[in-house]
Amino acid sequence: MRIFVTGVSGWIGSALVPELIGAGHQVVGLVRSDASASALAAAGAEAVRGTVGDLDVLGNTAAASDGVIHLAFKNDMAFVGNLQGAAEADRRAVDTFGDALAGTGRPLVLASNLLGLAPGRVATERDRAAVDGSPGAMRQATAHAALALASRGVRSSVVRLAPSCHGEGDNGFMAMLISIARARRVSGHIGDGANRWPAVHRLDAARLFRLAVEKAPAGSVLHGIAEEGVPIRDIAEVIGRHLDVPVASVAPEAAAEHFGFLGALLGFDAPTSNTMTREMLDWHPTHPGLLEDLDQGHYFRSPAITA
């Protein structure tokens, strides 16, 4: 298959390229810079210049491809407070892909999120997130729209990713927590820290996206999680041990001051099942779990980014 991938230079995209090529696929990646184009060519893939805002580029490239994997999201906008703008751009991109692929039976795989999906219980692939009009819910509305493309002859699926997609080189939430602990000289968790986050290794996630574009049925919801839920307190303890700093509880009302924007997310209890995903696609994560990955030490070899 000739597969068009957005976000190809990102954390998961850069692992997905060799995963797809290794399985015999051709990859066309959306890139914004000469450096990214050169790196993609060196990996054996083809580059097309543009951004997720270039709808003509998205539509034309999708129409000339056998399938699309949409990983890109304007995190640069979201992380400075314009989540609504980022979500609106994402929706326009998905609508463009839908128009390009309608009636072809070709696959569209969308990356989405799952924090807050089913508070208080284990979330499954059958759960549908509420859409209440808030900026955060707009991303869920885009996922619903992608699934609805199945009725227009698109083999669409959505991969809900764990909040921690970990591995060597990660600059995501785990790296942020480490930076905060290093700067404050304490490894914190909110309250008793018993709340859980699901997790997945980056390489296992890449394989799931490859399996989804190859064979996920139209309208499928997939869970990109390998571990149902890792207690935040356990994560804080590993960080504290490696940094040689104490582990301490942070009161919920002080979370925003201590953790920055992560304070609004770190208190979620989000255990999540992947049973249906494993059975549907014969996907079996094989890489280290989150605590084991943290204990390998690579997260602590150089200062991580700050929140």
Side-chain angles (χ1 to χ4, degrees):
M1 296 171 66
R2 178 180 172 86
I3 301 171
F4 178 33
V5 182
T6 71
V8 73
S9 301
W11 177 233
I12 296 176
S14 56
L16 179 60
V17 170
E19 175 71 30
L20 290 170
I21 292 174
H25 300 293
Q26 294 177 283
V27 176
V28 181
L30 184 71
V31 299
R32 293 182 294 179
S33 68
D34 290 340
S36 294
S38 296
L40 197 59
E46 177 184 339
V48 60
R49 293 295 293 266
T51 73
V52 292
D54 295 323
L55 300 183
D56 286 345
V57 173
L58 299 188
N60 291 336
T61 310
S65 301
D66 298 312
V68 176
I69 300 177
H70 180 41
L71 302 176
F73 189 77
K74 288 182 172 291
N75 287 314
D76 53 342
M77 295 176 64
F79 286 170
V80 297
N82 190 11
L83 178 57
Q84 180 169 344
E88 288 173 349
D90 194 44
R91 177 58 181 269
R92 288 191 292 269
V94 168
D95 289 344
T96 298
F97 291 138
D99 290 341
L101 298 175
T104 66
R106 297 174 189 166
L108 167 64
V109 184
L110 171 69
S112 190
N113 61 335
L114 51 73
L115 272 184
L117 180 62
R121 62 175 176 81
V122 176
T124 76
E125 293 89 339
R126 291 190 177 92
D127 287 308
R128 293 293 182 269
V131 178
D132 58 12
S134 67
M138 288 181 65
R139 194 167 187 188
Q140 298 296 345
T142 298
H144 294 177
L147 295 173
L149 290 171
S151 66
R152 297 180 59 197
V154 179
R155 183 163 61 80
S156 57
S157 61
V158 170
V159 176
R160 295 171 176 161
L161 282 167
S164 175
C165 185
H166 56 89
E168 188 162 4
D170 176 19
N171 278 324
F173 290 153
M174 291 302 109
M176 293 177 186
L177 284 175
I178 291 166
S179 286
I180 293 167
R182 182 179 278 121
R184 292 186 172 272
R185 303 306 302 165
V186 62
S187 181
H189 55 76
I190 298 175
D192 65 5
N195 61 297
R196 298 150 291 176
W197 271 17
V200 67
H201 195 281
R202 169 195 186 215
L203 298 179
D204 286 320
R207 183 168 185 267
L208 177 58
F209 277 99
R210 192 258 295 172
L211 292 173
V213 79
E214 287 176 346
K215 60 184 181 179
S220 299
V221 173
L222 307 167
H223 277 177
I225 67 105
E227 296 177 279
E228 181 176 290
V230 182
I232 300 297
R233 181 180 57 242
D234 292 356
I235 296 170
E237 288 173 352
V238 175
I239 293 172
R241 174 159 38 83
H242 278 269
L243 296 180
D244 194 22
V245 300
V247 177
S249 172
V250 175
E253 58 271 21
E257 189 279 331
H258 185 94
F259 295 106
F261 83 89
L262 272 181
L265 303 175
L266 201 61
F268 275 108
D269 186 37
T272 306
S273 170
N274 69 358
T275 300
M276 294 175 63
T277 300
R278 286 188 289 108
E279 292 176 351
M280 183 185 300
L281 298 182
D282 194 27
W283 176 63
H284 302 284
T286 60
H287 290 87
L290 175 56
L291 298 182
E292 181 184 353
D293 201 11
L294 287 169
D295 256 335
Q296 290 181 357
H298 54 80
Y299 275 95
F300 305 94
R301 290 175 190 148
S302 61
I305 61 176
T306 57

